[in-house]
Every structure is written in structure tokens, then in C-alpha cells.
Amino acid sequence: MSRIALIGENSIGYVDTLINIWNNGDCAVLLDWRIPFQITLKMMYEAGVKTCFIEKDIFNKIKESITGSIEFITYEKQNRTAKLLPNYIYDKFQSNYSRNEAVVIYSSGTTGKSKGIILSHFAINTNADSIINYMKPNTNDCIYIAKSLSHSSTFTGELLVALKMRMKLVIAPTIVPPRYTLNNIIKFGVTIICLNPTLLSMYIDEYERNKYCLSSLKTIYVSGSVLNDNIYNKAHATFTNISIYNVYGLSEAGPRVTAQRASCSKSNSVGKPINGVEIAIVDENGNLVATGEQGIVHVKTQSIFNGYICGKVKQSLYKDWLNTGDIGFIDINEELHIIDRIDNMIIINAHKIYPSTVEKQILLCGEVSECVVVDVCIHDKTFLSCLYTGAIIDERAIKKQLSKYLLKYEIPKFFIHSNEIPRTLNGKISITDVRQIIEKRLNEQLNANCRSRKKL
Amino acid sequence: MDVREKIIALVFDKYNLPDYQMGDIDEVADINIFEDLGFDSIQFVELIVKIENEFNIEFDDDVFIMENFTISNIVNIVNGMFVKNGGVDDGK
């Protein structure tokens, strides 16, 4: 078995090459083509890649900067616009339940360095089977891939599901305006689409502008990050005849862990564990917490990863239980709710603060479109601060309003307005950049105050 | 502000950094949206929507399936659309 890198935009050629890699008994290292090439090279060397299949157009752009011994083999995209996956691809695909390596996925690196996560054929195929079990698709269904195939949720939850079920699948470029996707939903009679909250929000705006007839679309699955209540409510109000289900997972778990389905309550939960998955919520000492109590989400799954490329094998595993690093709780309907990342938990003066709880209340207060709450250090003192977008708020008024719902230490000391919330390469909020923006602006304000005092 | 300045302002709003001011326009023209600024596909789609709203235009669906995602390329595409539509409308 060799690890073979694959770099390209979503296309029929990409899927064809991926299946060829598997059919040759090799493991595909899926690398996002938008990552700067020098970083991609490092990832390939770290993973021991000796051969890389790369889309011809991308190769032509980067060929001058290639150094080292990796052999690059180009392939043609086969489609530049949205196309149905042709039959010969389905015929080539074989379900495989071996424990051999199938893919290496690179995580988003929200909390640090991007990690190469190794998944076996058994992991991704059993996970896809469990997804089919709750999705219950049929051969008349048509799924549209709107996100990059280098993400685990896309190739397991959409591509593998479609290949196994011989469902129609639309492969399209990902860098297109929202109306391109909405028009193709109509053109191809798409019944299922999987989105993240940002895409869902953009599609809602575009739908409200131009009122598309999305009569074929039956289900939208939302994953990638916690869907905030605003978008959740707006989505349900906009797409009244479409079922919208939250799903949850992480690459290390295959990736899918839980999913909402028709039988679930109408809350903004991430649903119940899928087949082959158990969930436990534990406190910091490893003790199980009661229903409704918050704790660290642990997962036991048949689709567990083989390890990380960097060698810190299964550091986050304890007796087969994977520590997800997420804070959540299970409600009385046995549905999981994700509150925040444990890495995001802020401790100030021994008080534990979950930023998402604070952000939720700020969003309910009025004109704020998006906000991020972080701890910042100014002159050796740590303060809870908020970076927000939307209309400029009256700080005193919002603090008064928040005091009705939050504890005193949960109310941010500073509110900084911004035109945009900075994000990482995979679209997740970059906490480091948020902190830097706030600290820079606060220091500027402090310096300006000092200067005006001196003048006086 | 002309088309180029407006597009640069929309791109750099993402960062809210004062380091890139209008005086640096010639320096930023060759900056690649993905490789140099770390945009991902979803952020780029957001930028496309912002540009369309700013200039009241609609890009052709396949216009961004291009080889080079530099700022100057995007500016050329927008300017090309104004020429095609028979005049400059910078959204003012």
C-alpha cells in the first residue's frame, strides 16, 4: 500500500482518480487545492507521499515551484460545469471493508496545526452504511455536492452514499454564486443537499431575492459547525416544504456521529447517535453527567480512525472512547446538543465561561449580525471581549440587556465592531485573528486616550 | 472610488487591516485570493455575492472557473462585464 496524494477541484476526473487509487490498493491523501502549494508539499512529505495525482490546470499553475522527489501525474477534470456522475464510475466502485488505509484527511486546524487523519476502508464504508440507514435514500434520489470532496463529510456522507446506493449525483465546481447551485437544483431535480451554516445562510438570502422553485428538493442536511438559532429559524421559515436536519461528526469518527431525522423533536439539536455509535457526556474527572447537564462529548464508534499522520496516535482516545473536544448535553428526548469547543472555554478569575452561551444572548439583543466572544490580554489583565458585525451597538444598552440573562462575569467588557469575522482556510472562525483584531483596536484606543490626556 | 478600488476594499474588508490602504493598490493587484489571503471556496463565494451587489451585476456561472484568482483578474472580469453591457456602471 502506498499513500498517493490527490489534488483537484470537485470533478468527474477527481472521483475517477480517487476510485482508481482505491482499486489499486493504495490510500488517497486528499489535499485541498486551495491550500498554498508549499504547505501542501510539506503535508505530502509528512505523509510519505511519493506520487501525486493533480488536476492539469492546477499543475500548470504550480509546476514552476515544484521541488523534491514527488512524482506528479496530471489528470483531466472531464467537466467544467455541473454534470451527473456517469455510470462507468458507479461500475468501477467496489465497497471495501478492509482495515487498510483508505484516505488521509487534513483537519481544519482550528485549534492549531492541521492534522492528517487516517481512515480505513472499514471506517468510511461502515460510516456511509449508517448514513444510508438514517437518510433512507432511494435510486430516484439525486444528491448535489456543494462542498469540497477533500472534506470527510463530503466524500463519506455524500459521494460514498451515492456510489453505494447508485443514486444520481451532481458534481459541480464549488466556487460559484449561490444562484448557480439553486438553478442546478432545479435543472437536475436534486432531492438532497448537504450544506454548512454559511452556505445555508447564503442560499436563504439568494432564495429570498429571486424565489426559486425548489419543488424537487426534499432534504437539507447541515453540518460543519453549530447552526445558530437565527439561521436555524430563518431556514425553517424560508424552506417550509423542505426537511432541514442537523448532523454532527468529526473526521476522527468516520466522520458522522449523530443525525436529526423525522422522528426527532423540532429543536436545534444535532439529533441521535447513528448506527454503530454510542455517546457519553462526562465531566472533567471522567464521570458521566446527568441528562441535561453539560460536559465533554465522548464517542464510541465502529468507524474510528486509525491514527494521525504526525504519529501522536490516538492521543484523544481513552478505552475506545474518543474525546471530541466538544461541550454538549443530551436532552430528555435523548438528542445531543453541541454548545461549544472545550478549547473555546474561557477561564477568567476562576469563572468558566462558554463563549457560545454569551454569543447566543448577544445575537438575541438586536442589530448584531455575527459575533465572537474571546478573552484578550491588555496590559497583563485578561478581559472578556466581543468582536461583532452588523450595526454599531450602544455598548451600555447591550450590557444592561445582557445582565438580565447572563452572570456578571459572562458579560464582555469590550465590544469591538468589525466589517467581517476572520476565518481559517476551512471557513471556521479564527480565534487567533479575532484576538489580534480586538487587542490591536483596544491598544489603539488606549494610545489615543493617552495622547488626548497629554494634550489636556 | 473606481472598480479596482472598490473590489480591493471588498476583499480587504475581510481582514479589517489598516495595513492595506488604497495607496497600495498596485502592490495588491497580483495578490492571489486563495494562496496569499487564505480564502476558502465559501469565503470566495461570499465575495462574489458582495461584488455582484456592489456593482449590481450578475457574473456568468462559469466565470470564476479560471486559472488565476488574483485581484487584478477579478477587476478585469468586472470591467469586461461593463464593456459587454455597453458602459461603465460602478454602482454609484
Side-chain angles (χ1 to χ4, degrees):
Chain A
M1 189 276 306
S2 303
R3 289 185 185 143
I4 312 282
L6 178 55
I7 304 175
E9 164 70 302
N10 289 3
S11 69
I12 292 167
Y14 183 97
V15 179
D16 194 12
T17 310
L18 174 63
I19 294 173
N20 287 343
I21 291 171
W22 284 341
N23 287 352
N24 283 337
D26 292 324
C27 165
V29 180
L30 305 182
L31 297 164
D32 193 325
W33 65 277
R34 288 157 288 240
I35 295 173
F37 184 66
Q38 291 310 318
I39 297 175
T40 310
L41 261 183
K42 264 189 198 166
M43 287 170 168
M44 285 195 268
Y45 283 120
E46 186 188 72
V49 166
K50 299 218 165 36
T51 308
C52 171
F53 284 95
I54 184 165
E55 191 185 298
K56 200 174 175 182
D57 293 345
I58 299 171
F59 178 76
N60 287 338
K61 267 176 62 189
I62 55 94
K63 61 185 175 192
E64 307 298 332
S65 49
I66 292 174
T67 53
S69 56
I70 294 171
E71 180 193 14
F72 286 85
I73 303 170
T74 60
Y75 67 86
E76 297 285 350
K77 278 170 99 157
Q78 300 184 36
N79 65 311
R80 286 177 70 85
T81 55
K83 284 268 161 39
L84 282 173
L85 198 65
N87 278 334
Y88 79 89
I89 301 269
Y90 294 87
D91 296 340
K92 260 188 183 184
F93 172 75
Q94 300 153 12
S95 282
N96 177 348
Y97 292 88
S98 80
R99 303 276 179 175
N100 295 337
E101 291 180 11
V103 284
V104 174
I105 297 291
Y106 275 84
S107 65
S108 61
T110 315
T111 53
K113 192 173 170 272
S114 185
K115 291 177 289 192
I117 297 159
I118 307 163
L119 288 164
S120 66
H121 289 281
F122 181 85
I124 57 175
N125 277 276
T126 50
N127 204 248
D129 290 340
S130 300
I131 293 170
I132 290 167
N133 183 273
Y134 73 72
M135 210 184 239
K136 300 197 187 320
N138 59 53
T139 47
N140 293 323
D141 274 318
C142 178
I143 191 162
Y144 185 100
I145 295 190
K147 296 178 294 170
S148 169
L149 277 165
S150 62
H151 299 165
S152 55
S153 63
T154 316
F155 79 79
T156 304
E158 298 165 54
L159 177 64
L160 275 190
V161 165
L163 289 170
K164 280 168 171 275
M165 292 298 293
R166 287 195 82 99
M167 285 160 64
K168 281 180 278 180
L169 181 139
V170 182
I171 290 274
T174 54
I175 301 173
V176 286
R179 65 171 174 282
Y180 179 84
T181 309
L182 294 175
N183 280 327
N184 278 316
I185 288 173
I186 299 167
K187 181 180 170 186
F188 290 97
V190 171
T191 57
I192 299 167
I193 192 164
C194 306
L195 304 172
N196 62 23
T198 311
L199 278 176
L200 177 64
S201 180
M202 282 195 280
Y203 291 1
I204 291 170
D205 291 344
E206 175 60 22
Y207 179 87
E208 284 182 340
R209 265 197 297 270
N210 290 313
K211 297 292 175 208
Y212 295 76
C213 175
L214 302 178
S215 56
S216 65
L217 192 60
K218 291 191 301 190
T219 316
I220 299 173
Y221 290 99
V222 186
S223 65
S225 56
V226 178
L227 185 62
N228 74 43
D229 288 346
N230 278 353
I231 304 177
Y232 175 84
N233 293 330
K234 209 171 165 187
H236 281 272
T238 307
F239 301 123
T240 46
N241 294 320
I242 302 168
S243 302
I244 301 167
Y245 297 132
N246 291 334
V247 294
Y248 163 73
L250 63 165
S251 296
E252 287 91 333
R256 192 75 75 241
V257 170
T258 66
Q260 280 187 324
R261 43 214 107 162
S263 57
C264 286
S265 64
K266 302 290 176 222
S267 69
N268 192 9
S269 75
V270 291
K272 296 181 181 181
I274 64 172
N275 274 1
V277 174
E278 289 175 66
I279 297 279
I281 311 288
V282 302
D283 63 20
E284 286 152 359
N285 301 318
N287 301 315
L288 287 172
V289 303
T291 300
E293 263 183 47
Q294 293 182 7
I296 307 156
V297 180
H298 281 64
V299 173
K300 193 174 185 178
T301 173
Q302 59 185 349
S303 308
I304 195 77
F305 71 131
N306 284 13
Y308 294 115
I309 285 288
C310 57
K312 289 173 187 165
V313 181
K314 300 185 181 178
Q315 198 181 36
S316 49
L317 280 175
Y318 176 71
K319 288 184 180 171
D320 294 338
W321 286 90
L322 174 71
N323 179 343
T324 65
D326 288 323
I327 300 290
F329 68 92
I330 292 175
D331 68 17
I332 49 167
N333 300 311
E334 297 178 346
E335 292 176 30
L336 178 66
H337 294 251
I338 300 295
I339 304 296
D340 212 335
R341 294 277 311 159
I342 191 154
D343 311 301
N344 294 347
M345 187 176 78
I346 296 168
I347 299 176
I348 298 179
N349 299 330
H351 295 301
K352 285 180 192 164
I353 303 160
Y354 293 115
S356 60
T357 308
V358 182
E359 288 158 7
K360 207 171 171 177
Q361 286 304 329
I362 294 170
L363 288 171
L364 290 173
C365 279
E367 302 295 302
V368 173
S369 310
E370 207 179 357
C371 66
V372 186
V373 169
V374 293
D375 52 334
V376 293
C377 191
I378 304 289
H379 293 196
D380 297 331
K381 272 191 168 181
T382 306
F383 299 100
L384 196 65
S385 304
C386 171
L387 186 75
Y388 70 95
T389 62
I392 294 174
I393 54 173
D394 177 343
E395 213 172 298
R396 199 174 286 177
I398 199 164
K399 283 180 179 171
K400 196 176 171 191
Q401 178 81 354
L402 289 173
S403 65
K404 292 178 192 165
Y405 308 101
L406 297 174
L407 297 163
K408 202 175 173 186
Y409 60 79
E410 289 179 315
I411 300 171
K413 169 95 173 157
F414 301 110
F415 285 83
I416 302 292
H417 180 263
S418 172
N419 292 325
E420 205 83 44
I421 300 292
R423 292 179 188 279
T424 66
L425 199 62
N426 280 6
K428 295 188 177 177
I429 290 167
S430 168
I431 297 297
T432 313
D433 289 345
V434 169
R435 272 202 197 98
Q436 274 178 3
I437 291 172
I438 294 177
E439 285 171 358
K440 195 173 178 182
R441 295 270 288 278
L442 287 176
N443 279 319
E444 281 167 7
Q445 282 176 21
L446 284 171
N447 291 338
N449 288 346
C450 285
R451 277 197 299 272
S452 54
R453 263 193 226 121
K454 272 180 191 170
K455 276 183 189 170
L456 290 172
Chain B
M1 267 199 246
D2 65 10
V3 171
R4 192 166 63 151
E5 286 173 333
K6 277 189 176 177
I7 288 175
I8 290 168
L10 289 172
V11 169
F12 285 101
D13 262 352
K14 170 184 180 287
Y15 285 95
N16 202 20
L17 291 177
D19 311 5
Y20 290 94
Q21 295 297 337
M22 288 307 148
D24 302 322
I25 277 178
D26 290 332
E27 285 172 35
V28 301
D30 290 331
I31 280 181
N32 187 295
I33 296 281
F34 291 106
E35 294 192 3
D36 300 321
L37 298 183
F39 270 56
D40 68 359
S41 55
I42 294 164
Q43 288 165 345
F44 191 68
V45 172
E46 282 181 305
L47 177 67
I48 292 172
V49 172
K50 278 184 191 169
I51 294 172
E52 287 189 338
N53 291 342
E54 176 70 33
F55 297 104
N56 196 21
I57 54 173
E58 275 199 8
F59 293 116
D60 293 339
D61 288 340
D62 60 350
V63 74
F64 287 109
I65 306 167
M66 60 183 187
E67 288 182 17
N68 206 349
F69 292 93
T70 58
I71 290 177
S72 57
N73 245 351
I74 298 168
V75 172
N76 289 342
I77 289 170
V78 174
N79 277 329
M81 290 187 69
F82 290 142
V83 171
K84 206 167 78 181
N85 296 339
V88 174
D89 171 6
D90 62 0
K92 281 173 188 166

